[in-house]
Amino acid sequence: MLHEVMVKWMSSVTLSEVEMGGILNAVEALHVLEQLNVVHEASLPSLETTLRVVTNKNCHPMDNPLRSTHSHRETEPSSGHSQHGTSSDVEQHAQSAYSNERARRYRRASTPQCLRGNKFNTRMLKQQLAQALSEYDITDVMGCNPKSGRVPMTDASHCCNCGTEHSRRHIKLGSTLKPTQCVGCNAHLRSQIDFGSLTDALVWSYLFEEIGVPLSCSNAHVSFCDVIAMLPAMRRYYRLDELGNDFYRLQCYFLTHFIYIVSDWGRHTIRRELFEEEYIFLVKNMSTVIDHKDPELVGEFLQCLRIFNVSKQHDPDVWNLVERAMLFLLEVELRLGSSGIWKKSSKVYDRYHSSYCGAIGLMVYDFHGNPLGPQAMTADVVIPRAFRCANHT
């Protein structure tokens, strides 16, 4: 299936009208192709070779046999900007109505002449993406501007508990008054940290950096380093009763995606003492996400605990939570027909994402190694490009 999708995407991608959604989809696709050293249609490996590479624990995709001796990343043009690009890979459900999944993403940028009528080529596509980005505001990409040096906050008219957007509601009613309580759930309305935008900023800046495309928009050039500079303010996690349901869920997705990024998307385990805030939050809040019957968050929490190298032998108390969470996922799957489905929905993405999260929560992991451990300096551990850039900033 993955092989067929890659073939179909490469043969059809033209982006004749470049929307922000199309740009971000292309970034995610390029990140996958980059792992397989695919630069044009002819370089796509066979299905058998692809499977062998992505399932071989001893073969990191960044140093796999499909890659040439000299990475093509090193010769990519910088489009006139600094070599510090940006990057990311985020789930759409982790974006609130107040974040960057807004109608402005569907504003179209003109199509560069260089890609019209040409066959697929990653370098050409990256040039196109860089040119298209120049016509957008940075907030179109990630809902905030990390260059401002301020943590993005929501408007007080957005309910952090149920997600009701009161500004739009009152415009429809012709009212100029701003309510202090939500008309939907009666929760107190207040400004909160915009975790949806923070997740987007972290993930997309990382992915752009990884594929070597500068995240240079009409009003700002943002790097992964600009985003992680806000981490001290970001990593203050709140309880459910402090945030409300909607923002608590968005905060959880920010945390899990932060763990994914620092572990190179679960490729390595990470040391708990370096991410104590996240580890403690996952342990203390696992019961909460189970009680809220949220298989997607339960699956991601389980995967993150595995990334922290939680085991039955060394963490018996935490392992009790792990077993409870896995039993919850199995019960939901059985209740829905025992067919790899964890959510009934008419939307393909909702069904896909819930199944993905259920699967990663039940998987047993065999990590490539811990880049922060004793073997960190060995030649076979590849540091992600985003972190190499951060290290030299």
Side-chain angles (χ1 to χ4, degrees), residues 53-340:
V53 170
V54 300
T55 59
N56 184 354
K57 69 175 182 179
N58 297 317
C59 186
H60 190 291
M62 295 310 297
D63 54 13
N64 68 60
L66 301 178
R67 297 184 64 82
S68 57
T69 304
H70 302 287
S71 172
H72 62 276
R73 285 180 176 180
E74 300 174 359
T75 60
E76 286 163 5
S78 62
S79 300
H81 296 286
S82 164
Q83 290 298 322
H84 297 295
T86 39
S87 55
S88 137
D89 185 8
V90 66
E91 279 119 325
Q92 297 173 3
H93 70 297
Q95 303 169 24
S96 68
Y98 197 78
S99 268
N100 61 332
E101 195 63 29
R102 287 173 267 197
R104 63 186 178 190
R105 275 193 167 179
Y106 299 98
R107 192 160 50 80
R108 290 180 172 85
S110 59
T111 305
Q113 188 68 34
C114 66
L115 201 71
R116 296 172 186 169
N118 288 286
K119 291 186 176 181
F120 178 82
N121 181 286
T122 57
R123 179 179 295 182
M124 194 174 295
L125 180 57
K126 289 177 183 181
Q127 291 175 343
Q128 181 199 23
L129 292 176
Q131 182 175 337
L133 278 172
S134 66
E135 299 185 35
Y136 284 95
D137 189 282
I138 189 62
T139 59
D140 292 329
V141 181
M142 53 185 60
C144 65
N145 185 357
K147 286 286 192 179
S148 69
R150 299 186 300 271
V151 174
M153 304 292 290
T154 65
D155 191 281
S157 62
H158 179 81
C159 179
C160 59
N161 184 55
C162 69
T164 299
E165 188 65 64
H166 293 81
S167 59
R168 286 196 284 266
R169 179 184 177 88
H170 277 258
I171 288 174
K172 290 181 181 178
L173 296 177
S175 172
T176 58
L177 299 176
K178 290 188 176 181
T180 58
Q181 288 184 305
C182 178
V183 296
C185 67
N186 209 37
H188 178 67
L189 296 177
R190 61 192 186 280
S191 180
Q192 289 279 16
I193 294 176
D194 191 346
F195 287 104
S197 289
L198 286 177
T199 304
D200 284 340
L202 191 65
V203 173
W204 289 119
S205 65
Y206 179 86
L207 285 185
F208 272 97
E209 195 90 59
E210 281 293 279
I211 66 171
V213 175
L215 186 45
S216 299
C217 295
S218 60
N219 63 329
H221 171 69
V222 173
S223 72
F224 181 61
C225 293
D226 296 322
V227 177
I228 62 176
M230 298 191 292
L231 279 177
M234 293 182 198
R235 298 173 65 198
R236 300 174 183 176
Y237 302 114
Y238 302 91
R239 301 188 309 269
L240 173 62
D241 61 312
E242 294 176 305
L243 283 182
N245 290 319
D246 189 44
F247 277 35
Y248 174 80
R249 194 165 187 260
L250 290 168
Q251 174 188 248
C252 289
Y253 281 122
F254 167 78
L255 184 150
T256 58
H257 284 74
F258 175 51
I259 296 301
Y260 292 155
I261 286 173
V262 297
S263 65
D264 196 11
W265 248 259
R267 196 178 309 284
H268 309 282
T269 57
I270 58 178
R271 289 162 54 184
R272 300 175 197 179
E273 63 268 27
L274 296 179
F275 303 95
E276 186 175 1
E277 297 92 334
E278 288 73 27
Y279 177 73
I280 291 175
F281 183 89
L282 290 168
V283 173
K284 287 188 173 181
N285 287 268
M286 177 65 88
S287 294
T288 300
V289 295
I290 294 174
D291 293 341
H292 274 67
K293 303 185 186 307
D294 193 327
E296 292 166 298
L297 277 180
V298 170
E300 293 197 7
F301 272 39
L302 279 169
Q303 187 183 34
C304 286
L305 286 176
R306 298 278 196 173
I307 292 171
F308 278 114
N309 213 20
V310 167
S311 66
K312 185 176 183 179
Q313 178 182 359
H314 298 102
D315 310 280
D317 292 337
V318 178
W319 194 256
N320 289 332
L321 279 174
V322 170
E323 289 184 332
R324 182 188 169 200
M326 294 177 73
L327 284 173
F328 164 76
L329 291 178
L330 291 172
E331 290 168 357
V332 173
E333 184 186 25
L334 287 171
R335 187 169 65 250
L336 295 179
S338 188
S339 58

Side-chain angles (χ1 to χ4, degrees), residues 32-53:
V32 174
L33 296 176
E34 190 104 337
Q35 304 297 297
L36 297 170
N37 198 33
V38 175
V39 295
H40 48 72
E41 291 172 278
S43 63
L44 183 65
S46 67
L47 174 60
E48 293 75 14
T49 304
T50 301
L51 290 175
R52 184 170 65 252
V53 170

Side-chain angles (χ1 to χ4, degrees), residues 57-58 60 62-63 268 367-384 388:
K57 69 175 182 179
N58 297 317
H60 190 291
M62 295 310 297
D63 54 13
H268 309 282
F367 295 96
H368 178 70
N370 184 351
L372 302 178
Q375 78 279 35
M377 300 308 292
T378 60
D380 64 330
V381 175
V382 178
I383 304 300
R388 295 201 302 271

